[in-house]
Every structure is written in C-alpha cells, then in structure tokens.
Amino acid sequence: MANSTTFWNSVTGYFWQEEIPYVLGMVLLLGLLLFRFRSEDRRHLYNTLGFFLIALVGQFLSAVVFALNMKTGAAVLHEASVIAGGVAVIRLWGSLIFRVLLPAARLAPPGILEDVLVMLGYIAWGMVRL
C-alpha cells in the first residue's frame, strides 16, 4: 500500500505544477467566452478544447511515465504535451481577439491576418520552449 501511495504522490507531484490551475482557468474562461459570443464556431471550439484536453492527458501520462522511473521518456512526453497545450491556448486567444474583440470594436481585419499572426504565435511559442 505504501508503494502505491509513493507512486501516486510521484505522479501528482510531477503533473500538478503551480501554473496548472491558472492555465485551466484561462482555457475555461476563453472557452466560455467563445462559446457565448461565437456560437457559429462551436465545432472549431470543440476541436481546440479537445486538443487541449489531449495535451493535458499527455502531461498526466508523462507523470505516470516519470513515476515508473523512465525520466527521459517522461521529459519528452511532457515537453510535447506542453507545446501542444500552448498551441491550443494560442488558437483560443487568436479566436477571441480576431473573431470577438476586433469585430466588436468595428475592426474587421482580413482572415489571412488572423492566420499569419496565429502562426507567428505558434512559432514564438516553439522558440520559447526551445
């Protein structure tokens, strides 16, 4: 029983970083805002939130791999999951800015601008994680 407790303490210690509640809260808030103000984009929103959920599950699985003493595999899986989660968050922010906030301010930039700036956000996120 003590071994099982040690295993799960290791898993939760590796998974539950101090930024997790803030990221989850931000994603929840962005999702609710987009759900409310962009009902026509719900499929896009579900896909993005599903992708974020997969990234979160990947982070949890990296903690399980870490607890199984496979530290290199855990580090690689964790980093890939963090990058994927960041991509989902950038996509949510891009949707909020270009599909809710700018149109509300009576600014309608072309769709290609959203795509280019979100892509630059992905590249910047990748550079930060390097």
Side-chain angles (χ1 to χ4, degrees):
M1 184 70 175
N3 200 10
S4 174
T5 303
T6 304
F7 175 80
W8 286 111
N9 285 340
S10 179
V11 168
T12 56
Y14 191 81
F15 171 72
W16 196 259
Q17 304 293 316
E18 77 177 45
E19 68 271 3
I20 291 280
Y22 301 110
V23 173
L24 290 174
M26 177 178 53
V27 168
L28 181 63
L29 180 63
L30 289 171
L32 289 173
L33 287 171
L34 288 167
F35 190 77
R36 167 67 176 95
F37 293 109
R38 290 295 295 188
S39 60
E40 63 272 15
D41 289 339
R42 285 190 179 159
R43 183 180 179 121
H44 170 268
L45 178 61
Y46 292 146
N47 290 338
T48 304
L49 291 175
F51 187 70
F52 179 79
L53 183 62
I54 290 169
L56 197 61
V57 168
Q59 286 182 5
F60 180 78
L61 289 177
S62 74
V64 171
V65 171
F66 178 81
L68 293 173
N69 232 5
M70 294 183 268
K71 296 185 183 355
T72 304
V76 170
L77 182 56
H78 179 76
E79 192 59 35
S81 299
V82 168
I83 290 170
V87 166
V89 170
I90 291 167
R91 185 71 220 142
L92 289 172
W93 273 109
S95 294
L96 181 70
I97 291 169
F98 284 97
R99 297 178 186 188
V100 176
L101 298 178
L102 289 178
R106 299 195 194 284
L107 298 172
I112 188 80
L113 182 62
E114 175 186 357
D115 296 337
V116 168
L117 290 178
V118 168
M119 191 60 69
L120 286 174
Y122 296 156
I123 291 168
W125 177 241
M127 298 300 262
V128 166
R129 294 311 299 179
L130 284 176

